[in-house]
Amino acid sequence: MRRAALPPAIKVSMQITFRVDASAMIGTGHIMRCLTLADTLKQLGARCTFISRHLPEYLQDFIESKSYQSIRIGEDCQTEPSNELPHAHFLGTSQNQDADQTQTILEALDSDWLIIDHYGIDHRWETALRPFTKKILVIDDLADRDHDCDVLVDQNLYADMSTRYVEHIPDQATSLLGVKYAMLRPEFCDARERAQTRKGKVQHLFVFFGGMDTANYTLPVLQSLSDLKLNDCAVDVVVGAEHSTRDTIQSICQQENYTCHVQTNKMAELLLSADAAIGAGGSTSWERCCLGLPSLAFTVAPNQDALTLHADRLGLLKAAHADIYDAKALHKEIEDFMNANAERELMSDTCLEAIDAQGAQRIASYMLDGKVA
């Protein structure tokens, strides 16, 4: 089922400031979804600035290539003892020091919205920065800490979606929850118009485990595919520029006649051309679902477990259960997935019904006119 794009909001001039990081430990997903939202807001007349402590140089270059200001904090940083947050170590310093350094920048920006996408930040940081911005929007997936925000966005699917943030945000805050708010880049919106139900055997396979793939799931999957002898199946493999075993992966791809894409900007086209995918759970699942691509999804981080299992129960993907380093079990799981033609066709239809690629537009529209779409 196709859904019409939302009408554009009235253009207004706003300063939007993002506090977001990326690293081998954190991954690149937070930056990428913030960039998607920034692109949508920019089209509606907003100015966007990114504040980051941890950011690979290539990502900073990418942000700046899109004409956004990217400001690094962290010089003269004195690391203090971590607080009790499960992901406090993601921040690299105390919330107090991070807030002080961010405040200096916010004071000069006169920010209308401060958007925070960081597992190492909670209500204490947010309350400290409230005097320096008109409104605060938090992007979260975990529901494991309290927030002081005006808007909370969680683009995922959980069994307890409607209640998971009730005790974590102010009573007056607005919650934008579920895959209807999935922040997918415009290329996915465009490609969706050409997406069709996948039927029959797999003739074109897509493999991607995130921009960093810190645990290196790509390599054992490629080794398993090599053992399966997919002589009549094209395989596209995507890795980030800083993947730890990039050279080995490229060598295997050359040997097996797979196509290896490094830091590609054509993700939607690659997904659209594939019949099936093998990859990580988490937010990249919604990119695949948006284009009706059935996938075998591995949880590469603990916070993906509940999300991936619930998506499996809803028929949006197949949750992998094999240990990635158990070659025999991995081989069987991939083989079973590749042979399940009827199951994949049903999954493809379910995906196309569930996600329409208008999430970033919905969030931006709410920020500009206060109406929930």
Side-chain angles (χ1 to χ4, degrees):
M1 181 176 69
R2 301 293 187 268
R3 296 170 181 157
L6 297 176
I10 298 172
K11 280 203 172 188
V12 295
S13 179
M14 280 189 174
Q15 171 62 46
I16 313 294
T17 307
F18 292 84
R19 175 67 188 90
V20 58
D21 285 339
S23 68
M25 177 171 54
I26 297 170
T28 62
H30 301 274
I31 282 282
M32 298 311 294
R33 66 187 178 187
C34 284
L35 278 170
T36 297
L37 183 54
D39 288 345
T40 303
L41 288 163
K42 180 182 178 182
Q43 290 178 350
L44 299 175
R47 303 179 307 275
C48 299
T49 300
F50 285 75
I51 301 174
S52 303
R53 179 176 301 278
H54 309 292
L55 197 63
E57 186 174 345
Y58 77 91
L59 276 179
Q60 178 155 358
D61 291 343
F62 183 56
I63 292 170
E64 293 175 346
S65 75
K66 297 167 79 67
S67 299
Y68 300 128
Q69 184 180 23
S70 178
I71 302 174
R72 299 289 289 269
I73 60 176
E75 292 185 6
D76 302 320
C77 174
Q78 299 297 318
T79 301
E80 299 178 17
S82 297
N83 56 53
E84 74 282 3
L85 294 183
H87 294 84
H89 56 292
F90 279 17
L91 197 57
T93 187
S94 69
Q95 290 199 69
N96 284 340
Q97 185 164 65
D98 193 281
D100 287 343
Q101 294 176 332
T102 303
Q103 173 186 325
T104 301
I105 299 168
L106 281 178
E107 285 179 311
L109 288 175
D110 189 23
S111 188
D112 292 285
W113 282 90
L114 173 59
I115 298 178
I116 303 134
D117 191 347
H118 207 299
Y119 295 160
I121 288 175
D122 71 359
H123 67 102
R124 291 164 291 189
W125 188 102
E126 294 150 6
T127 299
L129 274 297
R130 262 212 178 275
F132 308 99
T133 185
K134 295 180 179 68
K135 291 186 178 181
I136 293 176
L137 183 148
V138 169
I139 301 172
D140 195 13
D141 312 291
L142 305 180
D144 65 349
R145 62 206 187 281
D146 293 340
H147 293 291
D148 178 7
C149 61
D150 300 285
V151 181
L152 187 289
V153 176
D154 186 334
Q155 64 176 6
N156 298 298
L157 274 178
Y158 295 96
D160 62 344
M161 202 76 221
S162 63
T163 60
R164 62 195 262 106
Y165 290 98
V166 170
E167 300 298 324
H168 291 300
I169 61 176
D171 292 340
Q172 68 275 18
T174 298
S175 298
L176 305 179
L177 307 176
V179 292
K180 68 182 292 186
Y181 297 106
M183 289 163 272
L184 304 179
R185 299 189 298 279
E187 64 186 270
F188 290 95
C189 302
D190 297 338
R192 181 178 165 77
E193 297 304 315
R194 292 173 282 143
Q196 298 180 348
T197 301
R198 307 315 200 276
K199 299 179 180 180
K201 66 181 295 187
V202 178
Q203 296 180 307
H204 200 149
L205 182 66
F206 177 84
V207 179
F208 176 58
F209 282 94
M212 292 293 184
D213 187 20
T214 306
N216 194 13
Y217 276 53
T218 305
L219 189 55
V221 165
L222 291 186
Q223 291 167 337
S224 185
L225 292 175
S226 177
D227 292 340
L228 284 170
K229 305 296 184 185
L230 303 176
N231 297 325
D232 58 346
C233 179
V235 179
D236 280 313
V237 182
V238 174
V239 295
E242 298 187 0
H243 197 288
S244 61
T245 61
R246 171 178 158 183
D247 291 344
T248 303
I249 288 169
Q250 288 179 306
S251 177
I252 292 175
C253 287
Q254 184 174 14
Q255 177 182 333
E256 298 295 330
N257 202 28
Y258 303 159
T259 303
C260 185
H261 307 265
V262 178
Q263 210 63 42
T264 182
N265 60 358
K266 297 182 178 179
M267 188 70 77
E269 289 299 323
L270 292 174
L271 291 174
L272 196 62
S273 66
D275 302 312
I278 300 174
S283 59
T284 55
S285 297
W286 313 141
E287 296 176 352
R288 300 188 297 259
C289 287
C290 165
L291 300 182
L293 184 62
S295 63
L296 178 64
F298 290 80
T299 57
V300 302
N303 64 288
Q304 295 179 358
D305 289 342
L307 182 158
T308 304
L309 289 173
H310 188 58
D312 182 304
R313 287 192 290 270
L314 295 175
L316 296 171
L317 51 78
K318 176 67 175 176
H321 298 286
D323 185 328
I324 195 70
Y325 301 111
D326 183 338
K328 184 176 181 180
L330 180 62
H331 183 282
K332 185 178 189 311
E333 186 138 51
I334 293 175
E335 185 175 39
D336 289 347
F337 173 71
M338 298 282 282
N339 289 333
N341 295 348
E343 181 181 350
R344 290 196 320 278
E345 181 176 340
L346 178 60
M347 191 185 303
S348 182
D349 278 333
T350 303
C351 287
L352 288 172
E353 288 289 331
I355 301 178
D356 66 2
Q358 295 295 323
Q361 178 70 61
R362 289 189 175 93
I363 298 167
S365 294
Y366 179 82
M367 291 173 66
L368 297 182
D369 61 31
K371 297 178 182 178
V372 177

